[in-house]
């Protein structure tokens, strides 16, 4: 079985909306098939995965709507479409497991972050179950309550000094 990964490395792009819209139950690391100018743009953090999503077709996993800005000093082989579909690199067993889990009702494969590890660009994918509106409100209320508690504790520590 593959080692679990939390996406440590130099984070270049993050999908902050994913944790707001989904309960992330499992994460997987995937490599990406990129051109030379695309990896240069990613290293310059000129990538956006806010609207991106992943699909599995014919035993291969692809990411759609990931925007990589064209490299300024790029050559004529620079891709003209910044949101083209890109193939992801994962083991067959991981892809088949993801396929089975994502077929369940309410589950999606969501890109969470892009980072550099050992010189290679990696994409952290999460298996997410969609949140209902009341779940989102509940999470926001808990976050606000935790923020209020931390503020009160900081004020008490200032008074005690």
């Amino acid at each position: 079985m593959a080692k679990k990964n939390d996406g440590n490395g130099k984070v270049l792009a993050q999908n902050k909306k994913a944790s707001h819209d989904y309960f992330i139950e499992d994460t997987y690391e995937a490599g990406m098939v990129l051109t030379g100018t695309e990896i240069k743009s990613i290293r310059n953090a000129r990538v956006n995965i806010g609207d991106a999503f992943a699909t599995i077709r014919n035993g291969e996993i692809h990411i759609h709507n990931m925007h990589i800005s064209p490299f300024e000093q790029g050559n004529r082989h620079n891709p003209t479409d910044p949101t083209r579909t890109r193939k992801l690199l994962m083991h067959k067993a991981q892809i088949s497991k993801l396929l089975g889990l994502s077929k369940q009702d309410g589950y999606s494969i969501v890109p969470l972050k892009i980072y550099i590890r050992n010189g290679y660009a990696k994409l952290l994918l999460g298996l997410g179950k969609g949140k209902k509106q009341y779940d989102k409100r509940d999470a926001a209320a808990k976050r606000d309550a935790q923020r209020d508690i931390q503020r009160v504790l900081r004020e008490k520590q200032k008074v005690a000094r």
Side-chain angles (χ1 to χ4, degrees), residues 79-131:
T80 56
D81 184 17
T83 59
R84 71 179 179 90
T85 301
R86 293 167 179 91
K87 184 177 175 182
L88 299 179
L89 305 172
M90 292 178 75
H91 293 285
K92 256 192 194 324
Q94 288 178 321
I95 293 174
S96 61
K97 182 178 178 185
L98 262 177
L99 179 63
L101 292 172
S102 66
K103 290 287 185 186
Q104 296 176 8
D105 197 27
Y107 282 91
S108 300
I109 304 169
V110 183
L112 300 175
K113 61 174 91 170
I114 294 178
Y115 54 93
I116 300 287
R117 172 179 289 165
N118 299 331
Y120 294 103
K122 302 289 184 178
L123 177 68
L124 187 68
L125 294 172
L127 181 69
K129 184 169 175 64
K131 284 186 181 179

Side-chain angles (χ1 to χ4, degrees), residues 48-98:
N48 183 3
I49 58 172
D51 296 330
F53 63 95
T55 59
I56 300 174
R57 260 189 254 128
N58 300 330
E60 295 180 342
I61 187 164
H62 297 273
I63 186 154
H64 305 271
N65 288 347
M66 179 173 71
H67 187 278
I68 299 177
S69 298
F71 189 62
E72 291 87 15
Q73 292 85 32
N75 56 14
R76 64 180 174 207
H77 301 294
N78 209 2
T80 56
D81 184 17
T83 59
R84 71 179 179 90
T85 301
R86 293 167 179 91
K87 184 177 175 182
L88 299 179
L89 305 172
M90 292 178 75
H91 293 285
K92 256 192 194 324
Q94 288 178 321
I95 293 174
S96 61
K97 182 178 178 185
L98 262 177

Side-chain angles (χ1 to χ4, degrees), residues 12-57:
L12 302 171
Q14 203 165 8
N15 188 356
K16 296 178 181 176
K17 198 166 171 84
S19 62
H20 182 263
D21 292 339
Y22 298 95
F23 293 112
I24 305 299
E25 295 185 2
D26 206 0
T27 59
Y28 299 90
E29 181 180 63
M32 294 182 279
V33 177
L34 301 168
T35 64
T37 54
E38 285 178 332
I39 187 63
K40 289 180 180 185
S41 289
I42 287 177
R43 287 181 194 274
N44 290 335
R46 298 184 43 87
V47 60
N48 183 3
I49 58 172
D51 296 330
F53 63 95
T55 59
I56 300 174
R57 260 189 254 128

